[in-house]
Amino acid sequence: MEPMKIVPSLLLLLLILCNILCGVEARKSAGYCAMYDICGARTDGKVLNCPFNIPAVKPDDLFSSKIQSLCPTITGNVCCTETQFDTLRSQVQQAIPFIVGCPACLRNFLNLFCELTCSPDQSLFINVTSTARVKKNTTVDGIEYYITDAFGEGMYESCKNVKFGSSNSLAVDFLGGGAKSFKEWFEFIGQKAGVDMPGSPYGIKFSPLPPASSGMKPMNVSSYKCSDDTLGCSCGDCPSAAACSSTAAPPTQIKRSCSIKMGSLEVKCVDFVLAILYIVLVSLFLGGGLLHRIKGKKKSSPSSEPIGEQSSVKPDTIHAQMLQNTPQRNWAQLSTVQGYLARFYRNYGIWVARHPAIVLNVSVFAVLLLCVGLVRFKVETRPDKLWVGAGSRTAEEKRFFDTHLAPFYRIEQLIIATVPKSSHEMAPEILTDDNMKLLFDIQKKVDRLRANHSGSMVSLTDICMKPLGEDCATQSLLQYFKMKPKNYDEFGGVDHVKYCFEHFTSSESCLSAFKGPLDPTTALGGFSGNSYSEASAFIVTYPVDNAVDNKGNKTERAVAWEKAFIQLAKNVLLPMVESKGLTLSFSSESSIEEELKRESTADVITIAISYLVMFAYISLTLGDTPRLNTFYITSKVLLGLSGVLLVMLSVLGSVGFFSAIGMKSTLIIMEVIPFLVLAVGVDNMCILVHSVKRQEQELALETRVSNALMEVGPSITLASLAEILAFAVGAYIKMPAVRVFSLFAALAVFLDFILQVTAFVALIVFDFQRCEDKRVDCFPCIKKSQSSDGDDKATSGVGQKKPGPLTRYMKEVHAPILSHWVVKIFVIAFFFGLAMAGIALATRIEPGLEQQIVLPQDSYLQDYFNNIATYLRIGPPLYFVLKNYNYSSESRQTNQLCSINKCDSNSLMNEIARASLTPELSYIAKPAASWVDDFLVWLSPEAFGCCRKFTNGTFCPPDDQPPCCPADQGTCGLSEVCKDCTTCFRHADLTSDRPSTIQFKEKLPWFLSALPSADCAKGGHGAYSTSVDLQGYENGIIQASSFRTYHTPLNKQSDFVNSMRAAQEFSAKVSSSLKMEIYPYSVFYMFFEQYLDIWKTALINLSIAIAAVFAVCLIITCSFWSSAIILLVIAMIIIDLLGVMAVFHIQLNALSVVNLIMSVGIAVEFCVHITHAFSISSGNRNQRMKEALGGMGASVFSGITLTKLVGVIVLGFSKSEVFVVYYFKMYLALVLLGFMHGLVFLPVFLSMFGPAPRYVEGDKKDHRPSVSSLP
């Protein structure tokens, strides 16, 4: 046999020598080669063909079968040697994993190179155009490859949509340099590769037609369509397939809200309906008013009254009520509950005035007892514990993800950006040599950083995430140089970076130090499309390993390093970057928590000033009109200070009680509740003191205190109870920070109310005794020795009956103006128009809470979040988590998940790919990385370099990995160690290209431990190490697995909310369709879940709060109409406040919802006192309105409006944006709206539609003034 093999070889050698020596013209005909054998190699080891124009050679049977396995179109003689074929095989081996999931694309791609290398008719379509001498041998240096456009077009069309799973990118981006047509792809393939660069060792020019005289014909092997039945691809890789076209296409337009066009003006339907409704209501009101006015003029009866002013209750009815043993006051008949309250307060006031010391000591001691709980005081600062409610769906999903797969890594990030010369110009490109070297300098500083944790030094390499177990998975452009500065010039500097933008997966030189591809999208910012070179920012991300629930030594070490990292960025990196004319922003995983802690001290001065201003105002308003000779006696500084201390005591008592039962406090509680309780409590202090001062001074002090409590006690109780209930309603909100805040506030307001009617009343008694005893305010031990009669009158209060200027204004100016019928009509029309506008504007309020607002205004995170929105071009990672995946042969779930050949058209991966086509609706940026797809491809016999086994059945790695290729060997070929490795399976071993249950079970751990490399990029280690939970998988069920994609860039809070809603709706639809349990998970979902139904939460809680206030008013007043009017005014205030939120772009979140709920309680104060005074006044409605304004108007303005206004205005100077937006703006709007509705709209409405009076005609000898004010 040996001699027989030698003869053909000798004949071949003679033919070659004859061609060379005789100079025979190249023959272009069937059965002839244009290139044959290998005549040399380049310096980088790439072999070069010989330009031998010889007849095709018949291969032996073994070689022929090898050719047939890769190139089924090549039969008979061939134009390649075994060495050439092995070179072809090793080169296409690197490309096969990218396209093996689409058989049609793979076959077309292989045919292109099989025909080029081994076709027996090679000379018909290959023309050697240039040669080169390598070691005295002539080698091919350039060829022209004639190929039909039909084949090129068919090949491109079959491959253009094929996805490469682990990188979520198009395969043609890596194999064709992002080609947009077959000509661009051929141009990319034909480029002569530089030394050590991937590609062809010689130039290839692709042409459609050879010269007519050449006798050549273009290569025209049939191309396969991706929709073919035999070699068909999945819907994700071939949307044009018939099976895919039947699937419903995703919507192409965003659903727009209803709108009406009127010429060039487009109006929202809600606005249009409200405008029409307002016009109709105002027209009816004006028509009714004018009609009543005309009829009223025709009647001359003196008893006629303005619209609606006829009393609906006859005196007999009131006389009947008086017989039921209910107390009388101001000849007014009170309701049963008010009667009991008045009688209680009358008796209680006498007792307090007689025993002030006992009341003061007992009440203060009881609250001090609650303060003992402060020894267990703790503050909660962890964001997940503050903003995520118990039983949260997303919190449970996060816990499942963390325990079954892996906790989402911690993120430390730097953003280095260029600065535009002007606001109208684009920022300059950041990709320059100087900036790259700066990036290396920054990395050097970070690598050298050490943090002290419990005596041990912690570096980045100690805590960073290492997918392949060695190098950190730092996301930085420096990875294109293996993170080594010495490689920068050696690899080609900026040019190498630009090269890697197109070859970051396919080129070995572009792979990162951690052996994975680096997507430029994650390391650059400020570019459009794929124009990475135009980027204006470097984004450097350090992923750090995390622990479940952020607990344990691992987290503590990470936090220690993060604190050192932030200090390094502030003190070292920031000056470095700014000196180069660039900007730097930075953040760590623990930054938000640390900045929230710092915020707790940021506004101490602001809060202190607010208290001082409030204290000064209280002291001023509680005292009498200052007179030079008596001000030190008549002032109420000590009383005001005592009132402030009681407020603080009530807050401490509330915090102490909840601390005692184990409930942690929050920073908002410590900063906001004292102010709120003070603002609420000051009103009652003013009303109580003014009520005592209004009593007849000749009466005994205990009688004055008793009468004062009887007069204002019921309305104070009503207002306080309404406020407490409104605060308590916030406890139903799931968010812990808000629920805790509401509970603390409700108890604090309750304790404040108790202390006001006990300790503060006792302090009033002591203060009035001090004043009557001529003792100096603040220094009661000092007594004035001599006084004149005038001084006696001034200090005792006798002769002080002349009303103040504010009271006179209310009686003589304000009330008469509001009594005019034109003013009434205008007021009603204006305020109802305001309410309609509020409803229309409320629809424009967006849910969310900007992170910048929560942080101090001088926080370094402010710039960071702004830059995130400006520069990031990819959103947060999005995982679709599958529970209980049944991979057994009996189950169809594998085909319901995958997206390669023979997968279901409506599979999970295909549906995700389809959703990514409309990112503006789905917020999904790209198809998902599927470990199922990559595993099936890795198993496939076509991917012959991936799943391999030794003869003993153990795993055999690819040829370019140890032990097949030693780590210190530069280039790898067929090694002795792995020469006998075979593929894990043949086609006959698989069922419809799918593994059996046993095969799946055996090979899945191999896949997850297989390292990716050039010979097999589908290795699952690193890419999918944490994507599959192998615990208990042997029984055919995988408990948890995930499929990763990305959200689109999310720049606004509404983007985060809408993206989460879209992902959940998508998962619910797919779960229902596939009958699987699938849910979406992203790291921010847990914090944004509340916003999915924030409007529902707000409306329900507001309804409960308003209903509670209505019930309290109804129970205490026993007047449905009075309670309904209070309810109407409160509702209008809340609606207008929503409108103000829209105007000031205040978002709807837990903070604003709590504010709205609390506004219900605070709004009660603006209307309940006026309504109460109106109901107990006599005369027609106009007269009663004037009397109510004259009596209570001044108190509402000075004791409620101004006290709140004074404290609120100070908050406008806060350093914390959350204070400015959610407490200054909202409460300022509330105070102004409450003032306008309470002192303008409510009196007008009462004068027109108010309830009947509760008065009794007859003996008035017991007459005392109704509620009035002497501010």
Side-chain angles (χ1 to χ4, degrees):
M1 292 295 295
E2 291 300 320
M4 295 295 293
K5 285 186 177 180
I6 294 173
V7 173
S9 299
L10 289 173
L11 289 174
L12 178 62
L13 182 59
L14 289 172
L15 282 171
I16 293 171
L17 289 172
C18 182
N19 263 316
I20 296 172
L21 296 173
C22 300
V24 178
E25 185 180 350
R27 184 169 180 176
K28 307 296 184 182
S29 61
Y32 271 77
C33 305
M35 302 177 292
Y36 187 83
D37 210 350
I38 294 172
C39 287
R42 302 196 317 178
T43 56
D44 57 2
K46 289 186 176 181
V47 296
L48 297 167
N49 293 337
C50 304
F52 294 158
N53 181 218
I54 62 172
V57 179
K58 182 176 178 60
D60 60 34
D61 292 342
L62 179 60
F63 182 30
S64 179
S65 64
K66 288 174 65 176
I67 293 174
Q68 283 286 299
S69 67
L70 187 68
C71 307
T73 59
I74 307 296
T75 58
N77 296 343
V78 295
C79 286
C80 60
T81 63
E82 283 202 56
T83 305
Q84 282 181 289
F85 179 79
D86 288 339
T87 301
L88 168 68
R89 181 185 173 100
S90 64
Q91 289 175 340
V92 299
Q93 177 178 315
Q94 297 181 8
I96 285 174
F98 289 91
I99 53 178
V100 70
C102 182
C105 172
L106 175 62
R107 177 49 48 212
N108 292 331
F109 184 82
L110 291 178
N111 284 347
L112 175 72
F113 291 98
C114 286
E115 295 292 327
L116 168 66
T117 305
C118 294
S119 172
D121 302 325
Q122 194 184 66
S123 64
L124 286 177
F125 49 83
I126 297 292
N127 182 35
V128 177
T129 56
S130 63
T131 59
R133 300 285 293 181
V134 176
K135 294 182 179 179
K136 300 181 180 180
N137 291 333
T138 302
T139 62
V140 174
D141 190 52
I143 66 171
E144 192 164 8
Y145 189 172
Y146 297 106
I147 188 167
T148 64
D149 287 349
F151 178 86
E153 185 71 27
M155 173 181 161
Y156 178 77
E157 288 297 320
S158 67
C159 295
K160 67 179 183 180
N161 292 309
V162 177
K163 313 295 188 307
F164 178 55
S166 63
S167 64
N168 282 321
S169 302
L170 293 173
V172 75
D173 287 347
F174 309 120
L175 302 181
K180 304 302 180 185
S181 67
F182 78 90
K183 292 182 179 179
E184 289 184 13
W185 196 0
F186 282 170
E187 184 179 350
F188 177 82
I189 292 173
Q191 292 175 353
K192 182 178 179 180
V195 177
D196 292 323
M197 302 297 281
S200 173
Y202 50 81
I204 305 174
K205 179 183 178 183
F206 290 89
S207 300
L209 293 172
S213 60
S214 66
M216 301 176 71
K217 295 188 298 185
M219 193 278 287
N220 192 25
V221 174
S222 297
S223 61
Y224 295 91
K225 294 182 178 180
C226 64
S227 57
D228 284 350
D229 294 334
T230 54
L231 297 175
C233 307
S234 69
C235 292
D237 292 339
C238 185
S240 62
C244 305
S245 59
S246 61
T247 306
T252 56
Q253 291 186 347
I254 300 174
K255 293 181 180 178
R256 300 184 64 187
S257 59
C258 175
S259 61
I260 297 173
K261 278 194 173 183
M262 294 181 293
S264 60
L265 182 65
E266 186 173 357
V267 183
K268 293 178 68 174
C269 292
V270 174
D271 299 350
F272 182 77
V273 171
L274 289 171
I276 296 297
L277 180 62
Y278 176 68
I279 293 171
V280 170
L281 290 177
V282 170
S283 300
L284 290 174
F285 179 75
L286 288 174
L290 290 173
L291 183 62
H292 185 85
R293 186 75 180 170
I294 293 170
K295 288 183 177 180
K297 288 183 177 180
K298 293 180 180 179
K299 297 180 181 181
S300 58
S301 172
S303 62
S304 62
E305 299 176 351
I307 179 172
E309 290 191 2
Q310 296 293 337
S311 177
S312 60
V313 180
K314 298 180 181 179
D316 290 342
T317 307
I318 302 173
H319 275 294
Q321 285 186 336
M322 288 182 61
L323 298 176
Q324 297 178 8
N325 201 23
T326 54
Q328 294 182 23
R329 163 183 171 280
N330 294 345
W331 74 97
Q333 178 66 40
L334 302 177
S335 70
T336 304
V337 177
Q338 282 178 312
Y340 282 124
L341 284 174
R343 185 167 57 191
F344 165 77
Y345 277 118
R346 181 182 61 191
N347 298 329
Y348 170 73
I350 293 174
W351 193 84
V352 172
R354 291 174 179 174
H355 309 91
I358 296 176
V359 173
L360 179 63
N361 291 328
V362 171
S363 58
V364 171
F365 176 77
V367 179
L368 284 173
L369 200 60
L370 294 177
C371 295
V372 175
L374 289 171
V375 296
R376 299 188 61 186
F377 173 75
K378 292 181 179 178
V379 177
E380 183 64 81
T381 57
R382 289 180 296 174
D384 57 319
K385 298 298 182 183
L386 288 173
W387 309 111
V388 183
S392 163
R393 168 188 164 185
T394 52
E396 290 298 323
E397 291 170 348
K398 177 184 183 298
R399 193 172 295 110
F400 181 88
F401 186 92
D402 289 352
T403 54
H404 286 271
L405 299 172
F408 193 80
Y409 50 82
R410 304 174 71 90
I411 296 176
E412 335 296 343
Q413 203 164 54
L414 300 171
I415 300 177
I416 303 142
T418 57
V419 181
K421 295 180 180 179
S422 69
S423 58
H424 304 291
E425 295 184 16
M426 292 182 61
E429 296 176 4
I430 197 165
L431 195 58
T432 65
D433 280 322
D434 289 341
N435 291 340
M436 287 297 298
K437 290 175 182 177
L438 172 65
L439 202 57
F440 273 112
D441 292 339
I442 290 173
Q443 186 60 44
K444 187 184 298 182
K445 300 285 185 184
V446 174
D447 287 337
R448 292 177 178 175
L449 179 64
R450 299 292 184 273
N452 190 337
H453 172 65
S454 301
S456 63
M457 305 309 291
V458 181
S459 67
L460 177 62
T461 54
D462 298 327
I463 60 174
C464 69
M465 188 176 72
K466 302 172 182 175
L468 302 183
E470 297 179 4
D471 295 282
C472 295
T474 301
Q475 303 295 295
S476 168
L477 287 187
L478 302 184
Q479 291 288 7
Y480 294 146
F481 305 97
K482 318 298 182 189
M483 302 297 288
K484 297 178 180 178
K486 67 178 184 179
N487 291 342
Y488 182 72
D489 292 324
E490 184 179 331
F491 282 21
V494 171
D495 290 336
H496 177 69
V497 175
K498 293 180 179 179
Y499 170 80
C500 289
F501 289 161
E502 297 182 355
H503 305 89
F504 62 90
T505 297
S506 58
S507 174
E508 178 74 25
S509 64
C510 296
L511 289 181
S512 63
F514 62 91
K515 304 297 189 296
L518 176 77
D519 190 335
T521 309
T522 64
L524 290 170
F527 57 89
S528 58
N530 291 329
S531 303
Y532 303 122
S533 299
E534 298 175 0
S536 57
F538 291 140
I539 300 174
V540 183
T541 305
Y542 302 102
V544 170
D545 281 333
N546 209 346
V548 177
D549 293 331
N550 293 325
K551 294 180 180 178
N553 187 59
K554 180 187 287 188
T555 300
E556 292 173 0
R557 297 174 73 217
V559 170
W561 187 87
E562 286 165 358
K563 291 180 179 178
F565 171 71
I566 294 301
Q567 290 305 311
L568 174 73
K570 287 181 178 179
N571 302 330
V572 179
L573 302 185
L574 187 59
M576 278 178 59
V577 171
E578 289 179 343
S579 67
K580 302 293 184 180
L582 306 174
T583 64
L584 173 69
S585 56
F586 47 90
S587 171
S588 72
E589 185 72 18
S590 56
S591 287
I592 292 179
E593 185 174 345
E594 294 299 320
E595 287 298 279
L596 288 177
K597 289 179 182 178
R598 185 173 72 85
E599 186 188 26
S600 63
T601 59
D603 288 303
V604 170
I605 296 177
T606 305
I607 298 296
I609 293 174
S610 179
Y611 266 69
L612 288 174
V613 171
M614 196 85 85
F615 162 65
Y617 178 79
I618 293 170
S619 302
L620 180 64
T621 193
L622 292 184
D624 295 332
T625 304
R627 294 179 61 180
L628 185 62
N629 57 341
T630 59
F631 77 94
Y632 50 87
I633 293 177
T634 58
S635 66
K636 304 291 182 186
V637 175
L638 189 58
L639 183 62
L641 177 61
S642 301
V644 173
L645 292 176
L646 290 178
V647 169
M648 292 303 301
L649 189 61
S650 66
V651 174
L652 293 175
S654 176
V655 175
F657 171 78
F658 285 110
S659 297
I661 63 175
M663 191 176 290
K664 291 185 179 180
S665 182
T666 67
L667 300 177
I668 294 178
I669 287 174
M670 305 312 299
E671 295 178 342
V672 179
I673 287 183
F675 162 74
L676 290 178
V677 177
L678 184 63
V680 171
V682 165
D683 310 337
N684 292 341
M685 292 180 202
C686 293
I687 291 172
L688 282 169
V689 173
H690 289 162
S691 182
V692 175
K693 289 165 62 178
R694 282 198 303 269
Q695 306 305 313
E696 299 290 346
Q697 299 301 311
E698 64 270 12
L699 297 176
L701 179 59
E702 63 183 46
T703 305
R704 280 182 279 157
V705 172
S706 172
N707 290 345
L709 279 176
M710 183 175 65
E711 182 178 283
V712 300
S715 61
I716 286 178
T717 304
L718 171 60
S720 298
L721 188 57
E723 288 164 351
I724 293 167
L725 286 175
F727 277 85
V729 167
Y732 289 98
I733 295 178
K734 295 180 181 179
M735 187 182 290
V738 176
R739 187 177 65 252
V740 170
F741 175 84
S742 299
L743 289 173
F744 277 63
L747 182 57
V749 172
F750 173 73
L751 293 177
D752 186 50
F753 166 69
I754 296 297
L755 288 175
Q756 283 171 355
V757 297
T758 55
F760 190 71
V761 173
L763 289 169
I764 290 175
V765 173
F766 282 130
D767 190 75
F768 273 75
Q769 288 175 347
R770 172 198 62 77
C771 191
E772 291 175 357
D773 205 23
K774 311 296 186 298
R775 296 185 180 275
V776 177
D777 192 19
C778 298
F779 302 98
C781 296
I782 302 175
K783 184 177 181 181
K784 188 177 181 183
S785 57
Q786 295 180 352
S787 63
S788 62
D789 292 342
D791 291 346
D792 289 340
K793 289 181 180 181
T795 56
S796 65
V798 177
Q800 295 290 312
K801 298 299 293 179
K802 184 179 179 181
L806 190 55
T807 302
R808 293 199 304 271
Y809 164 78
M810 287 292 174
K811 284 184 178 180
E812 300 168 9
V813 180
H814 193 72
I817 291 175
L818 295 183
S819 299
H820 198 279
W821 73 273
V822 175
V823 175
K824 289 182 181 182
I825 292 175
F826 173 78
V827 167
I828 295 294
F830 174 78
F831 278 90
F832 273 104
L834 209 60
M836 294 295 178
I839 296 173
L841 288 169
T843 62
R844 293 163 169 80
I845 298 176
E846 293 186 352
L849 177 61
E850 296 290 349
Q851 291 171 306
Q852 295 96 316
I853 288 179
V854 182
L855 300 166
Q857 292 179 347
D858 60 348
S859 171
Y860 61 87
L861 289 178
Q862 296 285 357
D863 289 336
Y864 171 75
F865 286 123
N866 290 333
N867 286 345
I868 284 289
T870 302
Y871 296 113
L872 243 63
R873 292 298 181 264
I874 193 70
L878 166 63
Y879 299 88
F880 287 97
V881 182
L882 170 65
K883 292 184 178 180
N884 302 320
Y885 162 38
N886 185 347
Y887 64 79
S888 64
S889 302
E890 297 77 18
S891 171
R892 290 192 61 256
Q893 290 192 0
T894 297
N895 285 341
Q896 289 179 310
L897 292 176
C898 63
S899 63
I900 60 173
N901 183 39
K902 298 183 181 179
C903 296
D904 292 354
S905 62
N906 66 336
S907 68
L908 175 61
M909 293 301 102
N910 282 332
E911 289 295 333
I912 294 174
R914 195 172 291 114
S916 68
L917 299 177
T918 53
E920 68 279 2
L921 297 177
S922 66
Y923 293 88
I924 297 175
K926 52 180 68 176
S930 170
W931 69 267
V932 175
D933 282 359
D934 284 358
F935 176 50
L936 295 178
V937 168
W938 183 83
L939 283 175
S940 173
E942 277 87 359
F944 46 79
C946 292
C947 186
R948 308 197 306 172
K949 58 185 177 181
F950 287 111
T951 53
N952 62 3
T954 58
F955 176 61
C956 176
D959 288 328
D960 59 351
Q961 295 182 22
C964 302
C965 178
D968 56 352
Q969 186 171 323
T971 58
C972 298
L974 292 175
S975 67
E976 288 296 318
V977 178
C978 301
K979 68 177 181 178
D980 295 326
C981 288
T982 59
T983 57
C984 294
F985 305 109
R986 294 172 297 174
H987 279 291
D989 298 328
L990 304 175
T991 304
S992 297
D993 293 335
R994 299 292 182 262
S996 66
T997 306
I998 295 175
Q999 291 169 340
F1000 198 112
K1001 184 193 309 180
E1002 289 179 349
K1003 298 302 182 285
L1004 182 59
W1006 285 18
F1007 166 71
L1008 294 176
S1009 61
L1011 294 170
S1013 63
D1015 281 0
C1016 181
K1018 290 289 185 179
H1021 187 65
Y1024 301 117
S1025 298
T1026 59
S1027 295
V1028 186
D1029 181 11
L1030 291 180
Q1031 185 174 0
Y1033 87 106
E1034 298 87 355
N1035 59 8
I1037 302 293
I1038 294 176
Q1039 295 182 43
S1041 62
S1042 66
F1043 305 90
R1044 187 194 72 251
T1045 180
Y1046 290 89
H1047 277 301
T1048 54
L1050 307 176
N1051 298 324
K1052 301 182 297 183
Q1053 292 287 288
S1054 58
D1055 292 339
F1056 284 92
V1057 178
N1058 293 334
S1059 66
M1060 179 180 176
R1061 180 181 288 109
Q1064 290 188 346
E1065 290 175 354
F1066 172 83
S1067 297
K1069 183 188 72 173
V1070 174
S1071 297
S1072 175
S1073 171
L1074 303 180
K1075 302 296 186 289
M1076 296 183 189
E1077 189 175 357
I1078 302 165
Y1079 73 84
Y1081 168 72
S1082 192
V1083 68
F1084 69 88
Y1085 281 4
M1086 186 171 62
F1087 302 103
F1088 283 82
E1089 182 184 20
Q1090 56 173 308
Y1091 303 124
L1092 294 178
D1093 56 358
I1094 190 71
W1095 269 111
K1096 179 181 176 183
T1097 300
L1099 294 176
I1100 289 176
N1101 284 279
L1102 282 173
S1103 300
I1104 294 173
I1106 293 175
V1109 170
F1110 176 77
V1112 171
C1113 294
L1114 186 61
I1115 291 171
I1116 292 180
T1117 65
C1118 292
S1119 170
F1120 178 85
W1121 189 231
S1122 294
S1123 303
I1125 291 174
I1126 292 173
L1127 181 112
L1128 172 66
V1129 176
I1130 292 174
M1132 291 178 68
I1133 291 174
I1134 300 303
I1135 289 171
D1136 291 346
L1137 189 56
L1138 286 169
V1140 171
M1141 286 176 60
V1143 171
F1144 285 106
H1145 304 289
I1146 299 175
Q1147 294 168 310
L1148 190 67
N1149 50 54
L1151 290 176
S1152 53
V1153 169
V1154 168
N1155 285 347
L1156 289 169
I1157 293 169
M1158 291 189 297
S1159 298
V1160 173
I1162 294 174
V1164 171
E1165 297 186 14
F1166 289 100
C1167 51
V1168 70
H1169 298 295
I1170 295 290
T1171 305
H1172 178 67
F1174 179 84
S1175 66
I1176 63 173
S1177 301
S1178 60
N1180 62 38
R1181 287 191 176 95
N1182 259 338
Q1183 293 167 345
R1184 292 162 61 204
M1185 179 266 284
K1186 293 177 182 178
E1187 185 176 343
L1189 273 179
M1192 278 305 295
S1195 290
V1196 169
F1197 183 76
S1198 64
I1200 297 178
T1201 305
L1202 289 183
T1203 51
K1204 287 177 170 57
L1205 201 59
V1206 166
V1208 166
I1209 288 175
V1210 178
L1211 294 180
F1213 300 96
S1214 170
K1215 293 181 181 179
S1216 174
E1217 190 72 11
V1218 73
F1219 263 65
V1220 175
V1221 174
Y1222 289 97
Y1223 295 103
F1224 170 67
K1225 290 183 179 179
M1226 284 195 71
Y1227 279 99
L1228 179 61
L1230 172 63
V1231 171
L1232 296 178
L1233 288 171
F1235 160 71
M1236 290 169 59
H1237 283 79
L1239 293 179
V1240 180
F1241 173 76
L1242 179 60
V1244 169
F1245 194 85
L1246 287 172
S1247 71
M1248 301 176 74
F1249 309 106
R1254 295 178 177 276
Y1255 69 90
V1256 180
E1257 297 178 353
D1259 186 11
K1260 299 181 182 179
K1261 63 181 180 180
D1262 213 17
H1263 166 63
R1264 289 185 302 272
S1266 61
V1267 184
S1268 59
S1269 175
L1270 296 172

